[in-house]
Amino acid sequence: MKQKRVCSLVLALLFAAAMLTGCGGAATTASGAAADTVGQMENMSPEEAGFVDAVPDTTLPQPPSDAKLIYTGHISLETLNLTPAYEALTEFVSRFNGFYEQQEMNHRGNYQYASYTVRVPADQYEAFQNAVSEHTAFRLTYHSTSCENVSETYGDIENRIETLQIKQERLQELLGKAESMDDIIAIESKMAEVEAELAALNGEKNHYDNLIDYATVYVELSEVSTFSEGVNPTMGQRLSAGFRKGMQNFAEGVENLLVWFVSNLLLIVVVVLVVVVVVLLIRKQKKKKKAKQMPPTAE
């Protein structure tokens, strides 16, 4: 009986030892697998490991290459002297193959204000604005830009033109086959209507072509004594600008006086002659009066 108990105890001990060995191996295997996983995750980026979201693509969508776009910009500038600033602006307009569509200038007290409508090729639009905004002759105070996509409207005009051209060809064929005068008159009247519509649509298409090919930039240029924002000019710069302004005003004054003198030369000559005649008559009257008042001389 005792032997059976001993055998049972030995078997139980062996079974327990086998279980402990299996659990230890499983724990070791699990620990190794976990270590391998941690190692792999260390080599991954945060996005690949799933800890953070991937950075979204913020690239703005671009219009199709064949899109019909109309670019328009507005620029407000300040300057200490308008004349050299205007010369610098004109140089940029020429450099970027543009032209002035409109120019206007007026005075505000002792200072000048000018506005310009500049047209530049669409592919030079941004370069022109950047060059003007960064030039030392100006101080940028406002800048806006816009882009209008007229592809749908432009395509509709082209389709209508194509339809009218087909209609015009058919009317010409009918006119060639017409025999009665009434039919001829009716067909010619219809052709005149089609031609008028075609002319209007082609004019509208040309207008859009002009706006698409050449961007429009509205430039406002104000002459000031000090800049309204940012770093103001030094005393030396202000004195230099004031001296140039004074010389410019003096030259303009002399020029205006010379123009006035030439314009009124005949009137001036007449007035001078009248004054000379009046002065001579007055002197003559004074001499006669003086001669009458003098006593006669004794003989």
Side-chain angles (χ1 to χ4, degrees), residues 2-272:
K2 291 182 178 180
Q3 292 179 349
K4 289 183 178 181
R5 290 180 178 179
V6 171
C7 290
S8 299
L9 181 61
V10 171
L11 290 174
L13 290 173
L14 290 174
F15 179 76
M19 290 295 293
L20 290 174
T21 302
C23 291
T28 303
T29 303
S31 176
D36 293 340
T37 302
V38 171
Q40 292 176 359
M41 293 180 68
E42 288 179 351
N43 296 327
M44 292 182 182
S45 64
E47 293 83 359
E48 293 173 339
F51 294 140
V52 296
D53 294 333
V55 178
D57 185 7
T58 58
T59 304
L60 295 176
Q62 297 298 318
S65 58
D66 58 345
K68 303 297 182 181
L69 306 176
I70 297 177
Y71 293 100
T72 304
H74 293 79
I75 298 178
S76 295
L77 304 166
E78 290 180 342
T79 180
L80 300 178
N81 195 332
L82 192 137
T83 300
Y86 168 71
E87 293 173 353
L89 178 63
T90 302
E91 193 275 331
F92 282 126
V93 171
S94 176
R95 181 191 303 179
F96 291 97
N97 302 316
F99 61 91
Y100 286 113
E101 190 173 65
Q102 180 268 341
Q103 300 185 56
E104 181 180 350
M105 183 181 297
N106 54 59
H107 287 77
R108 294 178 177 175
N110 296 326
Y111 300 97
Q112 300 180 87
Y113 168 82
S115 62
Y116 309 97
T117 302
V118 181
R119 303 294 303 280
V120 293
D123 57 353
Q124 301 289 330
Y125 172 69
E126 292 187 4
F128 170 78
Q129 292 184 104
N130 292 336
V132 171
S133 301
E134 296 170 0
H135 196 269
T136 56
F138 315 110
R139 179 74 180 180
L140 179 67
T141 59
Y142 176 78
H143 180 210
S144 70
T145 181
S146 64
C147 174
E148 181 184 3
N149 191 339
V150 295
S151 301
E152 185 175 349
T153 303
Y154 192 91
D156 180 62
I157 293 174
E158 287 185 321
N159 291 335
R160 291 165 62 190
I161 290 176
E162 184 178 357
T163 300
L164 287 173
Q165 288 174 340
I166 295 174
K167 188 174 182 179
Q168 187 181 44
E169 293 175 358
R170 291 177 178 175
L171 287 172
Q172 289 174 346
E173 293 176 359
L174 291 174
L175 183 62
K177 298 177 182 179
E179 297 180 354
S180 67
M181 184 59 65
D182 291 340
D183 291 342
I184 293 174
I185 293 174
I187 294 172
E188 288 181 344
S189 175
K190 195 64 178 177
M191 288 182 64
E193 294 178 4
V194 172
E195 289 174 358
E197 289 184 52
L198 274 173
L201 287 173
N202 281 318
E204 190 174 357
K205 180 176 178 291
N206 291 336
H207 175 69
Y208 275 113
D209 285 335
N210 184 34
L211 294 176
I212 292 168
D213 294 339
Y214 277 79
T216 304
V217 182
Y218 298 99
V219 181
E220 295 181 354
L221 187 58
S222 301
E223 189 178 53
V224 296
S225 59
T226 58
F227 295 130
S228 61
E229 58 183 31
V231 180
N232 283 325
T234 63
M235 178 62 71
Q237 291 174 325
R238 293 179 62 186
L239 290 174
S240 177
F243 177 76
R244 291 196 301 269
K245 182 66 177 178
M247 292 298 296
Q248 180 181 346
N249 291 338
F250 177 76
E252 290 179 357
V254 172
E255 181 181 347
N256 292 335
L257 179 62
L258 182 61
V259 171
W260 178 88
F261 180 80
V262 172
S263 301
N264 298 276
L265 182 59
L266 181 59
L267 178 61
I268 294 173
V269 171
V270 172
V271 171
V272 170

